[in-house]
């Protein structure tokens, strides 16, 4: 990704289509630090940009297909949505992005999912089929840049 | 005389008498046999509204705040039912202030979750855990918490920034996500860390009382009518209420306070 302008007021990294059906975790975002891992300090110097939490559904207790989001919803279908509909999550990354742009025009995004071992153990006890290692699933992300709010005259 | 409204306080601010009433209320509700969901007064039945088995927890992100306001209010009615009928000042569901200086102290100094939610042996503390009896879902055990580090909890500065947001939907989204609502569930961990089981842990309702209080503080600043009009008639699953019915906490019979007193006219 090439960025030529550092004059934005705010920058959001928006993750689209995050799957909340599994284990709960924290997702830490790093810029230009492809080797970031759970032990990487969460500082600007390490490219840490922000984090998000996923409060996970913890697997499905229904029959096959119970938690699968319905597609092709009819306009007159007033039933509630599935509790595991994918969601979009914005994370404010202004400081980290400006830091990157001081030295580079290239941006590499690394997201590190953090699952506490005690919670992984707990989920394995109650829902053995839940994947506790590959929990981060999303469709795409975008970076949105915003100008400063206009002050009134 | 009081105005008849329930007073919701910080759990740390409850008097010993108020705490005793609350603990007795939770004990009573937890001891009801759920009778497969027939017994509406059972804590297990009420907790089952959120995830397993009813799954009513908001299916639409835009209803996050009103649905949980209705839910806490719902449990609160059952708590109130257990109080002596002549009780003048009724303590409601207390909030857990996860931004307080105390919450950010080391656990040994009382930080993290309040001591009033911690386990005691004799008698057992009904605010500490609940025995879930749902064999059909492979769950017959006490709720557990794995607990994070206190200094990871949200701060008052973070809440102050939240309160500056002027758009209701953006405010709701930000309050729901990191570092607030969702992060607290992940921080407490265990059953609270799983949508399907979170409400079985008694601390769930005090966590959501804090979330609701923040919404109330936001409403004081920005108005209660700022919810998009297209949401007002949306029904809140499981409760005989729509969004419009939960915008004013006064209409739901409660207030947030740091303290209360009754002043009698002695003349």
């Amino acid at each position: 990704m090439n960025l030529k302008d550092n004059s934005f007021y705010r920058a959001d990294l928006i993750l689209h289509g995050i799957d909340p059906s599994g284990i709960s975790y924290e997702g830490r975002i790093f810029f230009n630090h492809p080797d970031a891992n759970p032990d990487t300090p969460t500082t600007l110097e390490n490219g840490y940009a922000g984090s998000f939490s996923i409060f996970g559904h913890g697997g499905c207790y229904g029959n096959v297909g119970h938690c699968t989001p319905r597609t092709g919803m009819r306009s007159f279908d007033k039933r509630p949505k599935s509790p595991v509909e994918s969601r979009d999550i914005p994370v404010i990354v202004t400081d980290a992005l400006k830091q990157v742009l001081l030295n580079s025009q290239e941006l590499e995004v690394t997201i590190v999912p953090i699952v506490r071992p005690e919670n992984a153990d707990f989920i394995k006890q109650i829902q053995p089929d839940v994947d506790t290692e590959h929990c981060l699933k999303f469709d795409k992300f975008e970076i949105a840049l915003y100008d400063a709010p206009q002050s009134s005259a | 005389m009081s105005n008849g409204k329930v007073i919701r306080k910080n759990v740390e601010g409850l008097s010993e008498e108020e705490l005793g009433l609350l603990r007795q209320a939770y004990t009573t509700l937890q001891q009801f046999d759920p009778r497969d969901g027939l017994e509406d007064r059972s804590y297990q039945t009420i907790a089952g509204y959120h995830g397993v088995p009813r799954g009513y927890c908001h299916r639409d992100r835009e209803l996050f705040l009103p649905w949980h306001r209705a839910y806490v209010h719902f449990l609160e009615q059952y708590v109130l039912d257990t109080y002596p009928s002549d009780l003048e000042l009724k303590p409601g569901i207390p909030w857990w202030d996860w931004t307080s200086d105390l919450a950010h102290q080391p656990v040994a100094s009382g930080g993290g979750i309040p001591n009033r939610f911690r386990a005691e042996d004799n008698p057992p503390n009904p605010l500490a855990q609940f025995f879930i009896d749902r064999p059909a879902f492979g769950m017959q055990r006490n709720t557990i918490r794995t607990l994070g580090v206190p200094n990871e909890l949200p701060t008052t500065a973070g809440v102050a920034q939240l309160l500056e947001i002027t758009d209701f939907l953006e405010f709701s989204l930000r309050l729901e996500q990191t570092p607030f609502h969702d992060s607290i569930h992940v921080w407490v961990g265990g059953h609270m860390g799983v949508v399907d089981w979170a409400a079985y842990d008694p601390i769930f309702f005090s966590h959501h009382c804090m979330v609701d209080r923040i919404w109330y503080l936001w409403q004081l600043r920005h108005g209660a009518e700022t919810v998009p009009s297209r949401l007002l008639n949306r029904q809140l699953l499981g409760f005989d209420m729509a969004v419009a019915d939960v915008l004013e906490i006064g209409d739901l019979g409660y207030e947030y306070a740091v303290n209360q007193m009754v002043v009698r006219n002695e003349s």
Side-chain angles (χ1 to χ4, degrees), chain B residues 56-76:
Chain B
Y56 288 156
C57 171
H58 68 292
R59 305 291 186 88
D60 191 318
R61 315 310 303 282
E62 295 177 333
L63 301 184
F64 165 68
L65 286 173
W67 190 88
H68 284 87
R69 173 168 283 180
Y71 192 28
V72 177
H73 174 261
F74 184 69
L75 171 71
E76 193 164 68

Side-chain angles (χ1 to χ4, degrees), chain B residues 26 29 43 46 70-80 93 202 205 239:
Chain B
Y26 274 67
L29 300 182
Y43 184 84
I46 297 165
Y71 192 28
V72 177
H73 174 261
F74 184 69
L75 171 71
E76 193 164 68
Q77 304 316 299
Y78 288 97
V79 166
L80 295 177
I93 305 291
F205 290 95
F239 314 112

